[in-house]
Amino acid sequence: MFKKIIKGGQRKSSKSNSTDASLYGYGPPSSHNPGSSPNSIAVVAPAQNPDVPMVPPPMTTMEPLPLFRDVSVSERQNLFLRKLQICCFQFDFSNTLKSAREKEIKRQTLLELVDFIQSGSGKISDVCQEEMIKMIGVNIFRCLPPASHENTGQETTDPEEDEGYLEPSWPHLQIVYELLLRYVVSSETDTKVAKRYIDHSFVLKLLDLFDSEDHREREFLKTILHRIYGKFMVHRPFIRKAINNIFYRFIYETERHSGIGELLEILGSIINGFALPMKEEHKLFLVRALIPLHKPKPVAMYHQQLSYCIIQFVEKDYKLADTVIRGLLKYWPLTNCQKEVLFLGELEEVLEATQPAEFQRCMVPLFRQIARCLNSSHFQVAERALFLWNNEHIVSLIAQNRQVILPIIFKALEKNIQNHWNQAIHVLTVNVQKMFMEMDAELFNECERQFEEKEARAQEVEEQREITWKKLADAAVQGGEDDMVTA
């Protein structure tokens, strides 16, 4: 009886010891499930798996670790975790001489990690993946310094004229981004496992970093986010929605963001891959986000990327041309001539992809705006508008609808010839008039006759007004003389 009691006590003791390691975080993660009942924990008593690496205790000092090639294959996962801990140390990069030795150790360790992931020498465990993403987050997710346009007590400057801020910690930050990129694109990375760590929270924090003023960082972020979008299909709707929200805040609240151009570059590639027929969600994105992006003042900083996205939509679905053209007219600049030149360039690209039916729907308001551009006192605006007639497709659309278009712009052409100060505009306007005469001489002569009649009537009205004013002036003078005689 006594022997049985002793044996029973030994068995209970061995069960409790087997769970101690996992309870303190040194065993395999699966052996300790916080959501399971106490009974289930007591039953689990596996032996420690030597293939599963243990998370080492936190390091207090930084010392160089052996290279991966200098240890056995079975020890590399544990060494990987220890190297990750070294890379979690943070340094002050405002002082280049401070902690120079430790900074170099960290830099070399980061390079080793990149080589290890890139070489594909072995599939890293789930624990190592989790700890690596944590380390990456510790390094890249940070409060960005106040931007040059924010109120920092200094005089506000135009972001377009800034030389640009360069992140002091870039020697380390660049390698961390390279590590993340290599992990995402690696064929060894299983998306079913990786999506636990590269989750919605991680993606949102990554998107926040696009506001960095360092163009080098934005370029890396652009590449990484594009790769995440391509590999993690489960994240695609969320990424599109998150980018939408950044655009909405930029358009309607701040009009300040450093990474709009890079985000649009990513979207340009995404739009190119949209399946047909296009989803309503994508059309709403065009109407609610892309077209309103023409409104902010700093549109010149990202207009090239924006224009590419717009053209992608029209080329995908030609029926969207009318929507796009009317959107451009809605946000057409009134006083900013440089923006007008950009809009005219984009308009030409859209019209190249426009079919006759869509062109007819918007041609009246479109050519009213073009007529105003033709008479612009800023010669670059007038010149860019006249250059539309150098495009064969646009000329063919105009020729098919000349009965409507020529009466709208005839007055603007005549005014240019009579009054515009720039000689080059004179020459271009005469060429456009000749083109219309060759298209339809009868229509041109009719428009010329109507224009002359209107001008004659306007001249008569002006002369009549001058006569009336002269009579009033004479009457006033006569009344003054009569008052003097009476007095």
Side-chain angles (χ1 to χ4, degrees), residues 22-72:
S22 62
L23 286 170
Y24 285 95
Y26 296 106
S30 58
S31 67
H32 176 54
N33 185 355
S36 58
S37 65
N39 292 334
S40 64
I41 294 175
V43 171
V44 176
Q48 177 64 47
N49 185 355
D51 295 331
V52 178
M54 296 185 299
V55 178
M59 299 176 69
T60 55
T61 59
M62 179 181 287
E63 294 296 334
L65 294 173
L67 300 175
F68 284 111
R69 64 172 179 265
D70 295 338
V71 299
S72 63

Side-chain angles (χ1 to χ4, degrees), residues 347-348 351-352 354-360 362-364 366-368 370-371 374 384-410 413 431-440 443-444:
L347 179 63
E348 180 176 356
L351 287 173
E352 280 185 353
T354 303
Q355 300 300 314
E358 282 63 44
F359 180 78
Q360 288 172 1
C362 61
M363 63 183 177
V364 173
L366 171 61
F367 277 88
R368 284 176 182 162
I370 290 175
L374 290 173
R384 193 65 189 81
L386 288 162
F387 280 165
L388 292 174
W389 275 265
N390 291 340
N391 189 296
E392 291 183 7
H393 180 69
I394 296 174
V395 169
S396 69
L397 292 173
I398 292 171
Q400 294 168 31
N401 301 277
R402 59 186 180 275
Q403 299 285 346
V404 176
I405 294 171
L406 183 56
I408 295 173
I409 66 167
F410 190 88
L413 295 173
N431 291 339
V432 171
Q433 279 194 331
K434 287 179 180 178
M435 199 177 292
F436 276 112
M437 288 180 70
E438 292 171 1
M439 285 181 195
D440 193 333
L443 174 63
F444 186 87

Side-chain angles (χ1 to χ4, degrees), residues 2-18:
F2 179 76
K3 290 180 179 179
K4 289 182 180 179
I5 293 171
I6 293 298
K7 288 180 179 179
Q10 288 175 346
R11 281 198 298 271
K12 289 180 181 177
S13 177
S14 65
K15 287 181 182 178
S16 61
N17 289 341
S18 67

Side-chain angles (χ1 to χ4, degrees), residues 68-169:
F68 284 111
R69 64 172 179 265
D70 295 338
V71 299
S72 63
V73 175
S74 60
E75 294 177 2
R76 286 179 183 174
Q77 299 285 325
N78 285 323
L79 179 60
F80 188 90
L81 289 173
R82 292 171 64 197
K83 287 181 181 291
L84 289 176
Q85 287 193 337
I86 285 181
C87 296
C88 286
F89 281 91
Q90 300 289 292
F91 299 103
D92 178 14
F93 281 86
S94 60
N95 185 350
T96 54
L97 299 178
K98 188 177 180 181
S99 307
R101 174 180 172 274
E102 288 81 2
K103 288 176 185 176
E104 182 59 23
I105 292 173
K106 179 180 176 180
R107 193 182 72 83
Q108 291 295 336
T109 305
L110 283 168
L111 289 171
E112 289 175 37
L113 292 173
V114 172
D115 289 339
F116 185 78
I117 296 294
Q118 191 170 4
S119 65
S121 53
K123 186 176 180 181
I124 60 174
S125 67
D126 293 3
V127 175
C128 290
Q129 291 183 57
E130 182 178 8
E131 293 301 315
M132 181 176 69
I133 296 300
K134 285 181 181 177
M135 182 277 291
I136 290 170
V138 166
N139 281 276
I140 67 174
F141 298 143
R142 65 206 190 280
C143 291
L144 296 173
S148 57
H149 59 264
E150 293 179 2
N151 184 14
T152 56
Q154 298 178 353
E155 185 179 350
T156 304
T157 57
D158 187 346
E160 296 180 23
E161 298 177 359
D162 281 347
E163 294 181 0
Y165 169 81
L166 297 178
E167 174 62 46
S169 62

Side-chain angles (χ1 to χ4, degrees), residues 455-482:
E455 288 294 302
R457 285 198 298 270
Q459 185 64 28
E460 287 177 8
V461 171
E462 182 66 24
E463 290 174 357
Q464 189 61 44
R465 186 164 65 245
E466 288 182 2
I467 291 170
T468 303
W469 276 108
K470 191 172 185 306
K471 287 180 180 179
L472 286 171
D474 292 344
V477 171
Q478 186 63 38
E481 290 176 356
D482 292 344

